[in-house]
Amino acid sequence: MMAAPQVDVLIVGGGPVGLAAAIEARLIGLSATIIEPRGGPDSADGGSGSADGGSGSIDKACGEGIMPGAVPALARLGVAPHGHPLRGVSYQSAGRRVDHRFRSGSGLGVRRTELSRALAGRAEELGVGRVADRVDTIEQDGASVTAAGVTGRYLLGADGLHSTVRRLCGLEIAVPQQGRRFGLRRHYAIAPWSDLIEVHWTPLAEAYVTPVSHDLVGIALLGPARTDFDEAIASVPTLASRLAGVAPASTLRGAGPFDQRATRRSFGRVMLVGDASGYVDAITGEGIRVGLAQARAAIECIAAGRPGYYEREWMLRTRDFRVLTAGLVAVATSPLRGAIVPAAVALPRLFGGVVERLAR
């Protein structure tokens, strides 16, 4: 028999979704502890230079665009990170361009380190505990679950694409290696030239341009393995021209492969949230919005004493993301890739409708 629970909710992973889940728990009076080997947002895994968030800041290669629906979701948690307003999305390729401005409010371009700091500060304010350790085993019975020497009533796996929790619980599905996509990201110290997220489509990859402050722009590249960042940027004349002579302001970071799957999202008293629960692709930029929705759903199920409902809630709250993202990736990795921007230009109302659906 295991020890009595020391905390209501154990959360493995101190990224944005794990921090959001901890905040959700505290807002309804549940105790929460985060297990994260890097400690806090100002500990290990950092680079140098202001765009890297300072020495020791936790960072990740991501597009850093928060869709309009995620901005009020963060505000509801009491979190307001500093960033740059995002008013819409622009698809561009070979001289063709179609813009759509959000009708549902503005999004926000935010450095990953800034988002982590804002969430971590709120979690600390609410009394969320932290354990700087790695999870190598998970043990559970009918009343509790233990990891890294801490026992909780429930455990949330929020430990990213390559989730240890998912693997330890036997929830991982092997995904074919062929066609898997990866991401690269770098910043440039230049004033934003647009308040839109620019998506430049090249024959093999997409370059996402996201302003994250008044003097910093992030560029995320999504494409197949071994995509060369500099070659891809050089293949977009308008983008290469803007960046000519501008030195990179951060180190080049990578992430992926993106396609990760789970047999289901729960196993006894363990639930998976965020990328750990399964991920399609970063092509629609919805990771934070969807992750926040999952975190809220998991805590609501725990509070109601019905953790078994989480699978259904996960399916409902991620349905649009999964369907639209999978469809767009299927086209983007097919011979029809070159027709995406021309089709969006020819059917602006359809393009706008898809953007709005994803922005909610």
Side-chain angles (χ1 to χ4, degrees):
M1 182 176 180
M2 296 199 313
Q6 300 160 272
V7 66
D8 290 316
V9 187
L10 278 179
I11 299 160
V12 180
V17 175
L19 289 163
I23 294 168
E24 291 279 8
R26 293 298 301 131
L27 288 176
I28 59 172
L30 299 178
S31 57
T33 292
I34 291 173
I35 303 172
E36 166 58 62
R38 295 166 293 184
D42 293 315
S43 63
D45 193 29
S48 59
S50 60
D52 280 311
S55 179
S57 294
I58 293 175
D59 203 355
K60 176 186 174 183
C62 58
E64 300 183 318
I66 296 177
M67 298 297 268
V71 176
L74 287 170
R76 180 184 149 271
L77 299 178
V79 176
H82 299 292
H84 192 285
L86 302 176
R87 311 293 186 190
V89 176
S90 174
Y91 269 23
Q92 302 180 32
S93 177
R96 294 174 180 262
R97 173 175 181 152
V98 58
D99 297 348
H100 176 78
R101 291 190 171 270
F102 297 131
R103 295 192 295 268
S104 51
S106 295
L108 194 65
V110 181
R111 278 292 285 114
R112 178 61 175 246
T113 47
E114 164 61 18
L115 178 61
S116 291
R117 275 194 290 265
L119 284 160
R122 178 61 168 152
E124 182 179 2
E125 177 184 290
L126 293 172
V128 173
R130 272 190 176 270
V131 173
D133 203 351
R134 295 185 181 278
V135 172
D136 298 315
T137 61
I138 295 174
E139 299 178 359
Q140 63 173 313
D141 57 23
S144 62
V145 56
T146 298
V150 185
T151 300
R153 292 198 300 120
Y154 296 94
L155 182 147
L156 301 186
D159 51 341
L161 283 174
H162 309 293
S163 170
T164 298
V165 174
R166 185 177 65 220
R167 176 177 55 80
L168 290 174
C169 291
L171 302 177
E172 193 154 81
I173 297 177
V175 178
Q177 297 294 314
Q178 186 176 5
R180 301 186 84 174
R181 282 160 48 92
F182 296 76
L184 297 167
R185 192 216 59 210
R186 179 184 283 161
H187 297 90
Y188 292 86
I190 185 173
W193 54 86
S194 174
D195 58 3
L196 304 178
I197 302 170
E198 292 185 356
V199 185
H200 296 268
W201 290 77
T202 76
L204 292 177
E206 305 94 59
Y208 286 71
V209 181
T210 305
V212 294
S213 74
H214 71 282
D215 59 357
L216 192 68
V217 170
I219 299 181
L221 196 70
L222 306 183
R226 295 180 293 279
T227 297
D228 186 281
F229 188 92
D230 293 322
E231 287 183 6
I233 298 302
S235 72
V236 183
T238 56
L239 192 52
S241 176
R242 290 189 183 279
L243 298 178
V246 180
S250 69
T251 54
L252 184 65
R253 291 180 179 268
F258 292 127
D259 189 3
Q260 302 290 335
R261 305 176 195 178
T263 57
R264 59 187 186 277
R265 263 51 57 179
S266 61
F267 177 71
R269 290 181 168 267
V270 176
M271 287 169 271
L272 303 177
V273 294
D275 296 353
S277 68
Y279 193 69
V280 183
D281 198 275
I283 198 167
T284 57
E286 280 199 289
I288 293 296
R289 185 189 70 80
V290 174
L292 293 176
Q294 293 171 12
R296 183 175 184 179
I299 296 301
E300 287 176 348
C301 289
I302 288 172
R306 294 182 171 181
Y309 279 35
Y310 177 60
E311 181 72 16
R312 182 187 67 180
E313 288 300 313
W314 186 93
M315 297 293 288
L316 287 172
R317 301 189 196 201
T318 65
R319 181 174 53 199
D320 285 356
F321 163 73
R322 289 182 289 109
V323 171
L324 292 173
T325 302
L328 186 53
V329 170
V331 176
T333 55
S334 78
L336 297 175
R337 177 181 177 82
I340 290 177
V341 175
V345 172
L347 301 167
R349 292 185 64 182
L350 176 61
F351 171 70
V354 171
V355 171
E356 286 299 320
R357 188 80 173 178
L358 294 169
R360 294 187 312 180

